[in-house]
Amino acid sequence: MPSESTPLLQTVPVAEQHQRYPHRSLRRYCTIALACIPIVTLVVILVLIGIGARGDVLGNGDDDAVLLALTKGGLPHKSWPASQGLSYAELKDILRDTPDPMKAREWSQYYASGPHLCGKNLSQAEWTRDLWEEFGVKHSEIVTYDLYLNYPVDSGLALLEDGKVVFKATLEEDVLPEDPTTGLEDRIPTFHGYSASGDVTAQYVFCNYGMYDDYEELEKAGVDLKGKIALVKYGGIFRGLKIKGAEEKGMVGVIMYDDPGDDGEFTEEHGFKPYPHGPARNPSSLQRGSVSYLSVAPGDPTTQGYPSKPGVPRQSVEGKIPSVPSLPISYAEALPLLKALNGHGPNASSFPSSWHNGGLGYKGVEYSVGPSPESSTVHLMNEQEYVITPAWNVIGVINGSIPDEVILIGNHRDAWIAGGAGDPNSGSAALNEIIRSFGKALEKGWRPQRTIVFASWDGEEYGLLGSTEWVEEYLPWLSDAAIAYVNVDVGAVSPNLRTSAAPVLNKALYDITSSVQSPNQTTKGQTVRDLWDGLIFTMGSGSDYTAFQDFAGISCIDIGYSAQGPADPVYHYHSNYDSFYWMDNFGDPGFLYHTSIAQVAGLLVAKLVEEPVISFNATDYAFSLERYLNSLKETVPKEDAPRNFFGALDAAIEAFQRVSVAFDHTASKLIDLASSKKPGNRAELYRSIRSLNTKYKLLERQFLHAPGLDSRSWFKHVVFAPGLWTGYAGATYPGLVEAVADKNETAIRKWAEIIEGAVHRATDLLIPQ
């Protein structure tokens, strides 16, 4: 049965309140007698265990450890520090050996066989829950939220000359006989999540990637943007911010397309055939996606900061989603618009180098920016229906022996298209294999040291909806219990591993990837680590770790074979061609990388769950803080550098470094004791390790600032947040970065002090009391 220490997810009935017992004298005597019983019992137990029990080696007493001493002899289970029911080595063998390529292929084929847009995938949620229960995760439930979002009604795009239509876009992707899902009658129309309804006709301008600097460059070149429609390439920043920048410049609509100039080696220009006959981009592919202002307000924009449950008050969406219409189109249907700009306005070649990589020159595109002549306009029509609709997370729990130490792992289930074999369901297939592997261990008698929570999120694609609402609902429990969240979104669309992580997890990731054989055995015995470049990016946004890291202060890692190399088949992101057929033939034939990511992520969870000392490293965090600050200093104007805004922060980081080195050294000694054949007094050792683990668990929380960032208060973390004008990519010291960018000396000093205070809190946490 679910316990109050798990987030499962049911209404707890509360008994009716009755009047107090009326006989006061009798009540008083009964109360005295009843109160004496536990007092006497406690005295007896204290005598038995010794009132003078010593604290742990860090100098901290632990009330929870004392409670355990009263009930379980001071240990979470009899075999601690060894694993329970199976040895740790046996558990790892199961997690390596169980994931199966054909099983992963089976799960992929199921998820990618039909539409599963947010709020329209209850059958998949129920299927997922039932599968997990079949695997042995008996505590699996569906958690529902009422989300505010949009569905497409109608749209249109046409190029006009003197008011007459000369080109009308189909806004459709080609149906391919080889790829069954591309021809489904119920396939999802072309649209942007959270796009604004509108009907506009205007001149248009080619605005490169639609980054804020691109709009600024155009204005510097004398290009009038006001009242125009922006034609922009995908890439560089989150798509919603392309619209935000256009809005701020007075533009009235945005059209987005994927340019093959960003596709690397496999292009038609280089002689490669397009999908389905080759690895190049299909010219009709188009990228759906959310255009919410993700770096300002993740989650349901009408319930920012609290969960979207039935009947809750709803906030205004102003400033959180666009107010001008937008549409995605294919590069095949962008060609007439781009060609119509030839010879009008400056050429992209006269702008900075980031403008120079267009890949349609061989098709007759000159990449003139415009504006288009007054006689040449675009008619953009977008009609959306906004609703409040249920959406469904699936949550599964395996309760551990230490109930307030919890590891979470999740993947989202919803997709913009009928397929979604890469995003997200390569991760969904891998997550199922991870759970199946843990289920095999449960069958053999294993019980985890710490609690594991599995999550299949809904609504990630619209703006991290399901995960954000869940974190907002369970924040008190998560703040007390959560150690780390492992995110697997795009599990396998290439042979190249990509990771981002809180620095405390770096060493654990290097260790695990060194223990898993790579699917690529060009050199016999080479591991995932051998073929990975070892780059670990900072935490940004764009996937379900965001609420855990940036709102709740829980250390996170995001991992998957998702880094597209220049020689990889083009991945048709958010397109109908992200299909099972593409995955089976181009993305991961044989599903070996699906299996590999299941092994890597499963072993990482096991490492965090089973090892007596949590596999964190505070020193990596401390020295990362110095690296982030040095990088920021390089952006401070030279005339301001002598003012030394950051002297006190430098000193605080240096102190944190000294303390973290000593703290990790203590952790190493405890690891040695726990792994020795004669660990001594196990109850005392457990108290020491538990106290140390609690500090590791709470370390990330010290970097939360309750009021949040100045311009986006939902983001509470002072070290990590998505860049305000990037959306995906992480910004370090975001409050400080934005203050420096604004040349606001008051804000610089303010944020330097706030961050300094957070570093001092982290330092104080790690100092033995």
Side-chain angles (χ1 to χ4, degrees):
M1 291 294 292
S3 76
E4 61 185 322
S5 64
T6 69
L8 283 179
L9 302 160
Q10 59 187 23
T11 302
V12 179
V14 178
E16 258 187 356
Q17 298 298 306
H18 298 284
Q19 288 186 341
R20 289 187 173 186
Y21 190 77
H23 303 293
R24 295 184 179 180
S25 299
L26 180 58
R27 184 181 70 231
R28 186 182 305 114
Y29 289 121
C30 290
T31 300
I32 294 169
L34 289 170
C36 291
I37 295 172
I39 293 171
V40 172
T41 303
L42 180 60
V43 169
V44 171
I45 294 173
L46 288 173
V47 170
L48 291 174
I49 68 171
I51 296 173
R54 290 179 296 167
D56 57 68
V57 296
L58 295 177
N60 294 316
D62 190 329
D63 293 338
D64 288 330
V66 173
L67 178 61
L68 285 166
L70 296 176
T71 58
K72 294 186 178 180
L75 299 174
H77 57 82
K78 291 180 180 179
S79 55
W80 189 93
S83 296
Q84 187 178 12
L86 290 176
S87 71
Y88 184 32
E90 289 172 321
L91 174 64
K92 290 191 288 186
D93 285 343
I94 290 171
L95 295 172
R96 285 193 192 94
D97 297 343
T98 302
D100 182 284
M102 290 302 98
K103 282 291 184 184
R105 186 179 186 276
E106 179 184 344
W107 314 138
S108 174
Q109 190 165 22
Y110 167 76
Y111 283 116
S113 62
H116 40 115
L117 195 60
C118 175
K120 296 180 181 289
N121 60 56
L122 178 58
S123 62
Q124 278 200 355
E126 293 172 336
W127 182 89
T128 300
R129 176 202 59 200
D130 294 346
L131 186 70
W132 293 3
E133 290 181 344
E134 180 184 322
F135 289 157
V137 182
K138 301 305 181 185
H139 297 161
S140 295
E141 299 282 348
I142 293 175
V143 188
T144 304
Y145 296 97
D146 281 0
L147 302 178
Y148 175 81
L149 46 79
N150 64 308
Y151 296 120
V153 176
D154 195 10
S155 60
L157 183 74
L159 177 63
L160 310 179
E161 289 290 346
D162 295 318
K164 296 181 180 180
V165 175
V166 295
F167 167 73
K168 184 175 182 180
T170 66
L171 303 177
E172 290 275 359
E173 294 174 283
D174 292 344
V175 174
L176 308 177
E178 299 87 348
D179 188 339
T181 59
T182 65
L184 292 176
E185 289 187 8
D186 58 350
R187 62 188 183 274
I188 298 168
T190 298
F191 82 113
H192 280 146
Y194 288 122
S195 59
S197 293
D199 191 328
V200 295
T201 300
Q203 294 168 264
Y204 64 102
V205 178
F206 173 67
C207 301
N208 197 31
Y209 290 106
M211 294 191 283
Y212 200 80
D213 287 348
D214 293 333
Y215 297 122
E216 296 272 278
E217 291 289 343
L218 287 165
E219 288 186 325
K220 287 178 187 176
V223 177
D224 182 18
L225 301 180
K226 191 170 183 180
K228 310 297 192 298
I229 292 171
L231 175 60
V232 302
K233 298 187 291 186
Y234 277 112
I237 62 173
F238 179 68
R239 68 188 73 78
L241 299 178
K242 300 172 188 284
I243 301 174
K244 189 173 191 292
E247 277 187 334
E248 293 192 8
K249 295 300 182 181
M251 304 187 82
V252 296
V254 180
I255 306 163
M256 302 185 198
Y257 78 99
D258 279 300
D259 193 297
D262 295 320
D263 284 346
E265 181 180 317
F266 287 137
T267 64
E268 286 191 270
E269 185 179 13
H270 294 152
F272 293 96
K273 291 183 177 181
Y275 178 75
H277 305 297
R281 180 181 300 278
N282 185 293
S284 73
S285 72
L286 55 84
Q287 182 189 143
R288 298 154 184 82
S290 174
V291 292
S292 70
Y293 296 162
L294 192 63
S295 57
V296 175
D300 187 323
T302 67
T303 63
Q304 195 174 16
Y306 55 90
S308 294
K309 289 295 189 179
V312 298
R314 299 280 170 173
Q315 305 166 7
S316 167
V317 299
E318 185 178 356
K320 302 172 188 175
I321 62 176
S323 60
V324 301
S326 66
L327 282 174
I329 64 173
S330 65
Y331 84 72
E333 298 200 320
L335 279 170
L337 279 67
L338 290 163
K339 288 180 180 180
L341 288 175
N342 285 352
H344 297 287
N347 192 274
S349 60
S350 66
F351 289 89
S353 59
S354 61
W355 288 69
H356 300 171
N357 59 346
L360 293 171
Y362 78 108
K363 294 279 192 181
V365 175
E366 297 175 4
Y367 290 100
S368 298
V369 303
S372 62
E374 290 183 6
S375 61
S376 182
T377 58
V378 163
H379 175 222
L380 188 164
M381 184 272 289
N382 185 47
E383 183 181 353
Q384 300 293 316
E385 178 188 18
Y386 273 85
V387 299
I388 294 176
T389 185
W392 307 279
N393 295 334
V394 183
I395 305 294
V397 175
I398 304 175
N399 283 310
S401 300
I402 309 172
D404 62 346
E405 293 182 1
V406 178
I407 307 299
L408 307 100
I409 178 170
N411 157 267
H412 74 94
R413 188 182 63 257
D414 63 306
W416 290 113
I417 36 49
D423 179 14
N425 297 127
S426 58
S428 303
L431 181 60
N432 284 349
E433 282 302 276
I434 291 166
I435 296 172
R436 192 169 71 87
S437 301
F438 279 116
K440 293 287 186 186
L442 290 171
E443 286 179 10
K444 294 180 181 294
W446 169 75
R447 294 295 177 268
Q449 307 265 38
R450 302 180 178 98
T451 292
I452 310 175
V453 175
F454 304 103
S456 173
W457 308 114
D458 198 1
E460 188 270 358
E461 292 292 5
Y462 274 86
L464 322 179
L465 304 187
S467 57
T468 298
E469 302 312 309
W470 191 82
V471 170
E472 289 174 345
E473 181 171 11
Y474 291 99
L475 183 63
W477 176 79
L478 289 166
S479 298
D480 176 66
I483 291 170
Y485 171 69
V486 178
N487 192 64
V488 183
D489 189 335
V490 181
V493 295
S494 81
N496 308 305
L497 190 68
R498 189 186 191 282
T499 68
S500 55
V504 288
L505 284 158
N506 290 355
K507 280 186 164 49
L509 184 56
Y510 290 134
D511 179 61
I512 290 300
T513 53
S514 298
S515 71
V516 177
Q517 296 287 291
S518 170
N520 180 346
Q521 287 293 305
T522 306
T523 301
K524 187 177 180 180
Q526 62 190 2
T527 66
V528 172
R529 178 69 183 93
D530 293 331
L531 292 173
W532 170 40
D533 59 16
L535 290 177
I536 301 175
F537 294 90
T538 56
M539 302 305 294
S541 187
S543 196
D544 289 305
Y545 54 79
T546 303
F548 290 93
Q549 183 79 42
D550 297 338
F551 185 75
I554 296 163
S555 298
C556 292
I557 184 167
D558 182 60
I559 186 168
Y561 287 104
S562 60
Q564 284 273 286
D568 293 330
V570 171
Y571 171 52
H572 296 76
Y573 179 60
H574 288 183
S575 158
N576 279 345
Y577 306 136
D578 180 10
S579 63
F580 178 77
Y581 183 87
W582 179 86
M583 183 63 73
D584 207 23
N585 290 274
F586 294 96
D588 186 17
F591 286 77
L592 298 179
Y593 286 92
H594 284 68
T595 305
S596 180
I597 200 63
Q599 292 168 328
V600 170
L603 286 165
L604 178 62
V605 169
K607 184 177 183 67
L608 294 168
V609 165
E610 288 299 292
E611 293 185 2
V613 175
I614 295 170
S615 192
F616 275 14
N617 187 275
T619 304
D620 279 349
Y621 209 131
F623 281 88
S624 293
L625 294 182
E626 179 184 17
R627 188 171 69 253
Y628 303 153
L629 187 58
N630 288 339
S631 177
L632 174 64
K633 288 176 183 176
E634 295 175 3
T635 68
V636 176
K638 291 181 180 179
E639 62 270 19
D640 290 335
R643 300 192 189 191
N644 191 14
F645 293 120
F646 310 122
L649 180 53
D650 279 322
I653 292 172
E654 185 179 346
F656 182 39
Q657 290 171 343
R658 290 194 301 270
V659 170
S660 66
V661 169
F663 188 81
D664 287 338
H665 181 66
T666 299
S668 296
K669 290 195 296 183
L670 291 174
I671 290 169
D672 290 341
L673 279 172
S675 60
S676 66
K677 293 182 179 179
K678 296 181 179 180
N681 186 322
R682 290 192 300 147
E684 183 176 329
L685 177 61
Y686 175 72
R687 288 195 296 272
S688 298
I689 287 177
R690 178 167 168 78
S691 178
L692 180 135
N693 283 345
T694 299
K695 292 172 182 287
Y696 272 142
K697 176 176 72 174
L698 298 178
L699 179 59
E700 198 80 54
R701 308 298 194 260
Q702 308 312 304
F703 295 99
L704 296 179
H705 177 58
L709 300 181
D710 288 338
S711 60
R712 38 191 178 138
S713 60
W714 185 90
F715 289 93
K716 309 296 185 185
H717 208 294
V718 302
V719 179
F720 302 117
L724 181 59
W725 282 102
T726 64
Y728 284 137
T732 52
Y733 301 131
L736 202 50
V737 165
E738 290 163 30
V740 169
D742 293 340
K743 299 179 181 179
N744 185 331
E745 183 174 331
T746 301
I748 292 172
R749 295 190 184 281
K750 167 190 167 181
W751 278 102
E753 290 177 5
I754 289 170
I755 297 165
E756 179 194 346
V759 175
H760 283 313
R761 290 196 300 274
T763 303
D764 292 343
L765 175 73
L766 301 187
I767 294 174
Q769 301 298 317

